[in-house]
Amino acid sequence: MRKVSIHDVGIGVLGAALLFVVLFWRLGAPTFWDPDEAHYAETSREMIATGDWWAPHFNEQPFFDKPVLFHQLQAAAMRTINDPELGARAVPALAALGLVVMTYWFAAVLISRDVAAVAALMVGASPGLFALSRYAILDTLFTLFTFGGAAILAVAALRDRPRLQWFGYVALALAVLVKGPIALILTALTMIVLIVASADLRRRLLALNWFS
């Protein structure tokens, strides 16, 4: 079992400080400055106002442009946190943190903890993640579930841990509930490329219970 050194603790503290600044520092301070951000937040606000948590509305008209899961989570956060901007952005920020954690887990299982730490810090310091985690839209939640599902399926196949695959399917199902079947298309395209490229990967991936 690897011993935890002072160096490891220091890196962990610095990493936690970086993530806090990137994802959560003054998260609710700016007003809704973009039409998309205001659109999503207003839809979730109307969900709270109408009490209808299954049929989202925008400007009092039914709004079914996207599936309902993100608005349900965003509305729950807005109802819990007494700050409209902070509540609307809490779910994207927490999803971004989940994406960093999932990156660490994936790299640690397949490669090493040192590589995992570097990978997680690179994702956490990414300008794209910084922008989207502070933006009241669904992209970080969709990325978390899509990447998380694909990563779990990869570990299930490559590390002969078949029970994990069911968690991967659930994550992909949640991704579909966030943004639709594009999650399945992106994952399927990736898996098809891997199946065509390698006989070993083809054997491992096709051994999963995809149809079930």
Side-chain angles (χ1 to χ4, degrees):
M1 184 176 181
R2 174 179 169 178
K3 293 182 179 180
V4 178
S5 66
I6 295 178
H7 177 266
D8 292 334
V9 173
I11 293 296
V13 171
L14 289 175
L18 170 67
L19 290 176
F20 174 76
V21 171
V22 170
L23 303 181
F24 300 107
W25 177 254
R26 295 178 57 81
L27 182 63
T31 58
F32 296 129
W33 56 273
D34 181 89
D36 286 340
E37 191 177 32
H39 191 179
Y40 278 88
E42 172 61 17
T43 302
S44 298
R45 188 200 66 78
E46 291 188 28
M47 181 176 285
I48 298 172
T50 62
D52 188 343
W53 289 72
W54 294 102
H57 290 73
F58 178 71
N59 286 341
E60 301 181 354
Q61 299 296 319
F63 176 69
F64 294 107
D65 185 59
K66 296 289 191 301
V68 73
L69 180 60
F70 176 77
H71 291 298
Q72 291 173 331
L73 296 176
Q74 189 179 52
M78 292 172 69
R79 190 171 183 178
T80 302
I81 301 171
N82 190 28
D83 181 321
E85 286 82 2
L86 179 59
R89 294 172 180 142
V91 172
L94 290 172
L97 178 61
L99 182 59
V100 173
V101 173
M102 177 57 67
T103 300
Y104 179 91
W105 173 81
F106 184 54
V109 172
L110 290 185
I111 308 174
S112 72
R113 289 172 57 183
D114 290 335
V115 171
V118 173
L121 288 174
M122 289 179 67
V123 171
S126 164
L129 189 73
F130 171 75
L132 292 175
S133 66
R134 310 179 71 85
Y135 195 52
I137 60 175
L138 55 74
D139 292 74
T140 55
L141 188 66
F142 174 73
T143 304
L144 169 63
F145 287 142
T146 303
F147 171 71
I152 292 170
L153 290 174
V155 171
L158 298 177
R159 289 293 180 264
D160 295 321
R161 297 167 65 178
R163 291 184 180 180
L164 276 181
Q165 67 182 300
W166 306 108
F167 295 98
Y169 301 140
V170 169
L172 291 177
L174 291 172
V176 171
L177 291 177
V178 171
K179 200 172 182 177
I182 185 65
L184 301 182
I185 295 171
L186 292 173
T187 306
L189 289 174
T190 303
M191 297 298 178
I192 289 171
V193 169
L194 296 175
I195 288 171
V196 171
S198 168
D200 182 57
L201 291 177
R202 179 163 57 250
R203 176 183 60 81
R204 292 176 180 274
L205 291 171
L206 293 181
L208 298 177
N209 296 304
W210 294 100
F211 291 104
S212 297

